[in-house]
Amino acid sequence: MKISFYTTMLVLSCMCVGFTAVGIVFFRGELIHVQQQKLQLLQQDKVQTDEALIFINQWKRTLDLYLMKHEPYLHKSLKEQVNAIKYINQQYVGSDNIRLVSARIEQVMHLCSKKMSTDAEWKILSIASGKLTLDLEGSVQALQKKLRTQINEKRLYISSLQKQFSLTVYVCPTLFIAFSLIMLKWANRTVVQPIKDLTELARKGEISQEKFSYKKPVEVDHLVDSLNEYIRELIEVKDQAWQEMRQNEYANARMSNIMETAADAIICTSSSGDIIQMNASFRRLTFLTDDYPGELRCEFFLPNFRLSDYSEDIMETFVSVEQTVLKNTNGEDIPIELSVSHFTYEEVMYFTLVIRDIRERERMQQQILQAQKMESVGTLAAGIAHEINTPTQYIRNYCIFLQDAFNDLAKYVKMTQEHPTSQVLKKLEEDIELDFLMEEIPKALKGSEEGLGKVSVIVKSMKVMSHPSKSEKVSYDINTLLKEAVILSRNQWKQFAEIKYILDENIHEVMCYPGLLSQTFINIIVNAAQAIEEQIKTQTFETLGVITIRTTMKKRNVMIKISDTGIGVKDSIRTKIFDPFFTTKEVGVGTGQGLALSHDLIVGKHGGSISFDSNPGLGCSFIILLPYTLS
């Protein structure tokens, strides 16, 4: 037979016995509950008959007073008491005794309702009422006696039921437990014991059908065959696992060799920052020796790096690249490019840090940057000279006017000293046009001030762009940098485009290198102007393009979006835009380093991002995100 048959028999038997025991207990308990409810009803009837007897006695006393005093208020009180008695008697409408009491009271109240005018009539009423109320309580008392008898009988019956219920509560579980033990012993003999014997044989490796000396379930036979098949497969898996382990050992040895011989420094850390493993390049870069006395922790060698930033965000990308500083054991700060990746093992996060020494690359990059800066200065020089020349010219004209005016005023002052008469002075005032001078001199001074202001703004913007980059970042307003970049590049775009500002004046200042950012903005604006110029060449009717400069906040970044209505970027070259030396201009125009350097400055120097969205033939938008830190 199958194990399912044995288990079904066991379960059904236990269920039948259990349900029977529970049914008996439930039936006994329900019977006691019903009898207790009946007892409560009898007790309530007894209480109500007591109340009825009290009301009847009170009514009789009130009747005696009414028959003696003949007062109307006593008749009214009789009616109210009769209503109360009727309300109680309604509970016993089926009792003959109660009907008799109600009938007599009704007869008495009918007699009392008649109008009595003589003493004889009152006497007749008193005699008739006395006969009707004679032994009126006897009927209610008889009902009370009957109820007391029923209550006592019911209590005795409930007491006997409770004794039987207590006996049932003890006997039924005992029988159920005894039956369950018998069934368990039977199940152990027919199901459990064969499985135990099979387990013992499996340990000895002697599994076969002939080892069982008694009848066993069908499933045990099947289990024997399955275990034999499983053991064979297990041996095959063991051999395969051994081969995979050897391959893993080879892979680990190969990875260790690659890590140890890598040119970049590599370290592995725990989520708390403890350095678990390092390669030879890291030891050489940090001058780390075997007798190093300090703790091997991330924050000592990478003071500006916080693993918690990556643990909290769970790293939006699998690999994060940034530029920071490495501090070696000699206290020297080394600029590096840091690549961070993570993996999780047994719900614990670990980090792999690849460190690249970029001192040589920064030196070469600085040279390229300086060359690019000089190229930008050369490109903008003619336009800036023109922009400065215009206010300088009218400042010169104002100065010539002021010189002439000063000579006339000096002559006027001298004449006032030599010829103080009013007639002479009046004639001189007319000659030198004193009213005209008093009106125009302030205008000339104001115009000169405005011209000097324009020159000052241009020179300041040029100074920010061309000044050598500082070694440390400073807090700077991005809106101001954008406006300065527009001023410096004005001669490049004024003939082809107009500038539209949509600036958020509430954006946070950003820790940055102002000169580098200014050069980036100039590169993008000049490229936009050149794209619009190419677009205008294709138009039948030339119209000015639009360069829209927008700033806003986006999460923890300041977003700069510079859009143009130029020719856009072709789909075929989208992936090459930020490549070094790539350019779409003619030979000799540009170096192809502008956007490549801009990408490096935004991503490497400022930890931001730069991207673009282009619709060929309609325009292009460059989007720059720069992180800010709240003070």
Side-chain angles (χ1 to χ4, degrees):
M1 294 184 181
K2 295 184 177 181
I3 293 177
S4 57
F5 171 77
Y6 295 118
T7 54
T8 302
M9 289 294 297
L10 174 64
V11 172
L12 290 177
S13 301
C14 292
M15 287 176 61
C16 290
V17 174
F19 285 147
T20 302
V22 171
I24 293 173
V25 172
F26 178 78
F27 173 75
R28 290 289 185 181
E30 186 64 22
L31 183 60
I32 292 173
H33 177 67
V34 171
Q35 295 302 322
Q36 286 177 340
Q37 288 181 337
K38 291 182 179 179
L39 176 61
Q40 289 178 356
L41 292 176
L42 291 173
Q43 290 174 340
Q44 290 176 1
D45 292 345
K46 175 66 170 52
V47 172
Q48 289 177 348
T49 54
D50 292 341
E51 293 177 353
L53 188 61
I54 292 172
F55 281 124
I56 290 170
N57 290 330
Q58 184 178 358
W59 177 78
K60 289 178 67 177
R61 287 194 295 271
T62 306
L63 179 63
D64 292 340
L65 289 174
Y66 175 68
L67 295 174
M68 289 173 60
K69 297 183 179 182
H70 309 157
E71 294 292 336
Y73 75 90
L74 293 172
H75 185 267
K76 183 179 180 181
S77 178
L78 283 173
K79 287 183 178 181
E80 293 174 352
Q81 292 174 7
V82 167
N83 290 333
I85 294 171
K86 284 181 179 180
Y87 176 75
I88 295 175
N89 291 344
Q90 286 176 358
Q91 310 298 326
Y92 307 100
V93 293
S95 173
D96 294 336
N97 293 338
I98 295 301
R99 281 199 298 269
L100 178 61
V101 171
S102 299
R104 288 184 179 183
I105 292 174
E106 289 290 338
Q107 291 176 4
V108 172
M109 291 305 297
H110 177 70
L111 293 173
C112 291
S113 63
K114 296 180 179 179
K115 189 173 182 181
M116 305 295 173
S117 57
T118 62
D119 292 339
E121 291 176 344
W122 283 103
K123 187 173 182 180
I124 293 171
L125 176 62
S126 177
I127 293 170
S129 299
K131 291 180 179 181
L132 291 172
T133 57
L134 182 66
D135 197 24
L136 189 63
E137 300 91 337
S139 298
V140 179
Q141 290 173 348
L143 179 60
Q144 282 184 323
K145 183 177 180 181
K146 181 181 178 181
L147 289 172
R148 281 195 294 269
T149 302
Q150 290 177 349
I151 289 171
N152 291 331
E153 291 175 354
K154 189 65 68 177
R155 283 176 176 169
L156 291 173
Y157 181 58
I158 291 174
S159 177
S160 64
L161 289 177
Q162 288 176 338
K163 291 180 181 179
Q164 295 175 6
F165 180 77
S166 300
L167 182 63
T168 303
V169 168
Y170 286 111
V171 171
C172 286
T174 303
L175 292 175
F176 177 73
I177 293 172
F179 180 77
S180 299
L181 291 174
I182 293 171
M183 293 303 295
L184 287 174
K185 185 174 181 180
W186 172 74
N188 181 71
R189 181 178 177 278
T190 57
V191 178
V192 178
Q193 190 60 43
I195 295 177
K196 286 183 178 180
D197 294 344
L198 182 61
T199 303
E200 187 65 27
L201 291 173
R203 289 175 180 172
K204 298 178 180 179
E206 300 175 355
I207 299 177
S208 64
Q209 298 286 355
E210 295 77 14
K211 296 292 182 179
F212 295 96
S213 58
Y214 50 84
K215 188 177 181 180
K216 54 191 177 296
V218 175
E219 285 87 345
V220 175
D221 291 337
H222 296 164
L223 184 60
V224 171
D225 297 335
S226 298
L227 284 176
N228 284 324
E229 182 65 24
Y230 174 73
I231 290 174
R232 287 193 297 270
E233 292 177 356
L234 192 63
I235 294 174
E236 294 176 0
V237 171
K238 178 182 176 182
D239 295 338
Q240 184 178 357
W242 176 256
Q243 294 178 0
E244 290 180 355
M245 185 183 70
R246 295 294 302 271
Q247 292 176 356
N248 289 336
E249 289 178 353
Y250 168 74
N252 290 335
R254 185 177 59 185
M255 291 301 298
S256 298
N257 180 261
I258 292 172
M259 178 176 175
E260 195 67 19
T261 57
D264 291 336
I266 303 174
I267 59 174
C268 296
T269 73
S270 63
S271 57
S272 61
D274 295 321
I275 298 177
I276 302 171
Q277 189 176 4
M278 69 186 77
N279 67 348
S281 295
F282 180 78
R283 290 191 290 270
R284 286 195 300 270
L285 190 60
T286 57
F287 300 107
L288 193 63
T289 58
D290 293 336
D291 57 352
Y292 175 68
E295 290 185 290
L296 294 176
R297 293 185 57 82
C298 257
E299 56 262 28
F300 176 80
F301 298 101
L302 300 167
N304 300 328
F305 177 70
R306 294 290 180 271
L307 280 175
S308 57
D309 296 340
Y310 295 85
S311 300
E312 292 172 1
D313 297 337
I314 313 298
M315 297 181 65
E316 294 183 1
T317 57
F318 182 72
V319 179
S320 175
V321 181
E322 62 179 271
Q323 289 188 5
T324 183
V325 174
L326 173 73
K327 186 176 182 180
N328 62 22
T329 55
N330 296 332
E332 178 186 1
D333 289 337
I334 303 172
I336 61 168
E337 183 179 81
L338 179 65
S339 301
V340 184
S341 62
H342 76 285
F343 64 94
T344 302
Y345 178 72
E346 293 184 353
E347 298 184 356
V348 179
M349 184 176 288
Y350 297 92
F351 294 89
T352 301
L353 280 61
V354 180
I355 301 168
R356 179 169 296 172
D357 186 354
I358 59 172
R359 284 177 290 187
E360 182 62 23
R361 188 177 76 182
E362 281 202 341
R363 185 184 65 79
M364 295 182 65
Q365 189 181 67
Q366 192 65 29
Q367 293 177 357
I368 297 173
L369 182 62
Q370 191 63 29
Q372 176 67 20
K373 186 179 296 183
M374 294 305 295
E375 180 190 353
S376 299
V377 171
T379 303
L380 302 175
I384 293 172
H386 177 73
E387 296 296 325
I388 293 176
N389 182 64
T390 300
T392 304
Q393 186 64 39
Y394 64 72
I395 291 171
R396 180 176 177 277
N397 293 335
Y398 282 136
C399 288
I400 294 172
F401 167 74
L402 290 173
Q403 181 64 48
D404 293 341
F406 176 77
N407 293 335
D408 289 341
L409 289 175
K411 182 179 179 181
Y412 176 77
V413 171
K414 184 177 181 181
M415 289 297 293
T416 57
Q417 295 175 350
E418 295 177 357
H419 305 282
T421 61
S422 58
Q423 186 176 359
V424 176
L425 291 177
K426 186 175 182 181
K427 184 178 183 303
L428 183 60
E429 288 177 5
E430 294 176 355
D431 292 341
I432 66 174
E433 298 179 344
L434 182 60
D435 293 338
F436 174 77
L437 294 178
M438 296 300 292
E439 181 181 352
E440 293 298 325
I441 288 175
K443 293 182 180 178
L445 291 173
K446 184 177 180 181
S448 300
E449 184 179 356
E450 290 177 355
L452 289 172
K454 291 182 179 180
V455 173
S456 176
V457 169
I458 295 171
V459 172
K460 180 183 177 183
S461 302
M462 192 65 185
K463 184 179 178 182
V464 170
M465 194 275 288
S466 60
H467 196 278
S469 301
K470 298 181 180 179
S471 59
E472 294 184 359
K473 295 179 181 178
V474 296
S475 181
Y476 212 89
D477 181 27
I478 295 299
N479 290 342
T480 301
L481 271 179
L482 287 166
K483 292 175 182 178
E484 291 171 350
V486 169
I487 292 171
L488 287 176
S489 59
R490 184 174 184 275
N491 200 55
Q492 300 292 318
W493 55 260
K494 66 180 182 180
Q495 296 178 357
F496 312 108
E498 57 183 13
I499 300 294
K500 182 180 178 182
Y501 290 108
I502 306 177
L503 304 180
D504 183 356
E505 300 298 336
N506 297 320
I507 61 173
H508 295 280
E509 291 188 350
V510 173
M511 295 298 295
C512 63
Y513 301 102
L516 301 181
L517 276 187
S518 177
Q519 185 172 349
T520 298
F521 296 153
I522 289 173
N523 286 339
I524 296 175
I525 294 172
V526 170
N527 286 344
Q530 293 171 348
I532 291 173
E533 181 183 3
E534 293 296 324
Q535 182 78 312
I536 291 174
K537 292 178 181 179
T538 64
Q539 296 175 351
T540 305
F541 301 99
E542 294 186 2
T543 56
L544 288 178
V546 179
I547 299 175
T548 304
I549 301 176
R550 184 193 307 267
T551 59
T552 186
M553 302 295 298
K554 187 174 182 181
K555 295 184 179 179
R556 295 187 61 84
N557 297 284
V558 172
M559 186 181 79
I560 304 105
K561 187 175 182 180
I562 303 176
S563 306
D564 64 67
T565 57
I567 60 174
V569 179
K570 296 179 181 178
D571 293 336
S572 59
I573 61 171
R574 291 178 67 92
T575 58
K576 303 177 183 178
I577 286 297
F578 297 113
D579 290 350
F581 303 108
F582 175 78
T583 180
T584 58
K585 301 180 180 64
E586 297 178 359
V587 177
V589 181
T591 62
Q593 291 292 315
L595 288 178
L597 284 174
S598 297
H599 183 276
D600 185 68
L601 295 177
I602 296 298
V603 178
K605 295 290 186 183
H606 294 89
S609 66
I610 179 171
S611 60
F612 70 94
D613 183 19
S614 177
N615 193 350
L618 297 178
C620 180
S621 296
F622 277 86
I623 302 166
I624 298 173
L625 293 177
L626 295 175
Y628 67 87
T629 303
L630 293 175
S631 57

